[in-house]
Amino acid sequence: MTLAQLVSNGLCKQLADRERPPKEWFPHDEVDDRPASSSFPSGHTAAAVAFTAAIVPIWPAAGATCGLPAAMVALERVQSGAHYPSDVAAGAAIGLAAATLVRRAPRLALRWFT
């Protein structure tokens, strides 16, 4: 989750200064509470997917259980007006890549240093 947050919020949001979706698209008051940071990518989705993807190989049943809340986080970010669907898709890709990299890091390190 930490790597996903660093990449999404620390790097990508700084590089891609994307405006949030227009407030007029959302007929609810929740849209007024959106962050002022870049819309791209969704850091919430990146963290949720990273957590889920990290749990699945270790404890498949718990990982499967985490899948629904992770999907709900992604859907809520679009429904609330905080993100475009592409922001959420990019966040999910970052989360999956971060979990995969962290999972494989020990094996990669052994190859490089032996």
Side-chain angles (χ1 to χ4, degrees), residues 2 32 35:
T2 301
D32 292 329

Side-chain angles (χ1 to χ4, degrees), residues 3 8 14 32 34 44 52 65 71 80-81 84 90 100-101 103 105:
L3 180 59
S8 63
Q14 306 309 314
D32 292 329
R34 300 182 303 177
H44 287 87
T52 301
T65 303
S80 69
Y84 293 98
T100 301
L101 180 62
R103 182 103 171 121

Side-chain angles (χ1 to χ4, degrees), residues 1-4 50 53-54 58 94-109:
M1 284 178 59
T2 301
L3 180 59
I58 299 165
I94 290 169
L96 185 58
T100 301
L101 180 62
V102 168
R103 182 103 171 121
R104 293 185 179 171
R107 280 185 271 150
L108 292 173

Side-chain angles (χ1 to χ4, degrees), residues 49-66 99 103:
V49 170
F51 179 81
T52 301
I55 295 297
V56 166
I58 299 165
W59 190 7
T65 303
C66 292
R103 182 103 171 121

Side-chain angles (χ1 to χ4, degrees), residues 2-114:
T2 301
L3 180 59
Q5 287 292 296
L6 287 172
V7 171
S8 63
N9 293 331
L11 178 64
C12 293
K13 281 188 185 284
Q14 306 309 314
L15 296 174
D17 190 24
R18 184 177 191 181
E19 295 288 325
R20 301 280 173 173
K23 290 182 179 184
E24 299 79 40
W25 290 5
F26 303 93
H28 50 72
D29 295 335
E30 203 173 300
V31 76
D32 292 329
D33 294 332
R34 300 182 303 177
S37 62
S38 174
S39 176
F40 184 86
S42 170
H44 287 87
T45 303
V49 170
F51 179 81
T52 301
I55 295 297
V56 166
I58 299 165
W59 190 7
T65 303
C66 292
L68 180 60
M72 290 174 65
V73 166
L75 290 172
E76 187 279 332
R77 300 309 292 163
V78 174
Q79 182 276 329
S80 69
H83 293 285
Y84 293 98
S86 59
D87 301 337
V88 170
I94 290 169
L96 185 58
T100 301
L101 180 62
V102 168
R103 182 103 171 121
R104 293 185 179 171
R107 280 185 271 150
L108 292 173
L110 284 175
R111 284 185 187 171
W112 289 342
F113 298 113
T114 56

